[in-house]
Amino acid sequence: MKGRKEKNKTFSFTNYDGVEYTLFFRKPHKSYGEADGLCLNPQEDEPKIYINPQLTQQTELNTCIHEVCHAYFWDAPEAKVTKFANNLSRLLFNKCGWRKVK
């Protein structure tokens, strides 16, 4: 049963450079501060993304977009990634009505 629960808390994808990421809905380690999400360097052996599962639905959507954007555009400035994620999540959540399915 534990394996099934853990499987539902992960998502894997491969970016356009062929790097496979696994996304976990777990709070990033406290050594990264109070971050809601974290995308690890694509040059690591098994790069990962962590998303805090205790966020509001809109913040979780924003954080997922933000961290996946880092996985695709690792060298993009933080300000550009933030602006992109904020605009896309606001469109999807506020204008399109996207909500998390339980």
Side-chain angles (χ1 to χ4, degrees):
M1 186 80 162
K2 183 178 177 185
R4 177 182 290 264
K5 185 176 181 181
E6 183 65 23
K7 184 177 181 182
N8 292 335
K9 294 286 189 176
T10 65
F11 174 77
S12 295
F13 66 94
T14 302
N15 71 12
Y16 62 82
D17 290 327
V19 177
E20 184 174 350
Y21 272 88
T22 302
L23 188 150
F24 296 90
F25 287 94
R26 278 190 273 176
K27 187 168 173 53
H29 190 273
K30 61 185 173 185
S31 65
Y32 293 100
E34 293 299 315
D36 289 332
L38 174 69
C39 178
L40 298 179
N41 190 317
Q43 294 181 354
E44 291 196 12
D45 286 338
E46 295 179 12
K48 297 171 180 62
I49 293 175
Y50 296 98
I51 306 292
N52 182 350
Q54 302 303 316
L55 303 172
T56 65
Q57 286 192 21
Q58 187 170 8
T59 302
E60 183 178 309
L61 175 64
N62 180 282
T63 304
C64 285
I65 293 168
H66 183 106
E67 300 307 336
V68 170
C69 186
H70 277 305
Y72 278 86
F73 308 105
W74 180 253
D75 293 329
E78 186 67 19
K80 285 187 177 185
V81 172
T82 298
K83 187 167 182 79
F84 172 78
N86 289 351
N87 287 326
L88 183 56
S89 66
R90 204 170 56 246
L91 166 69
L92 294 175
F93 197 85
N94 295 334
K95 297 296 180 187
C96 297
W98 287 33
R99 297 298 184 265
K100 185 175 181 178
V101 177
K102 302 247 179 192

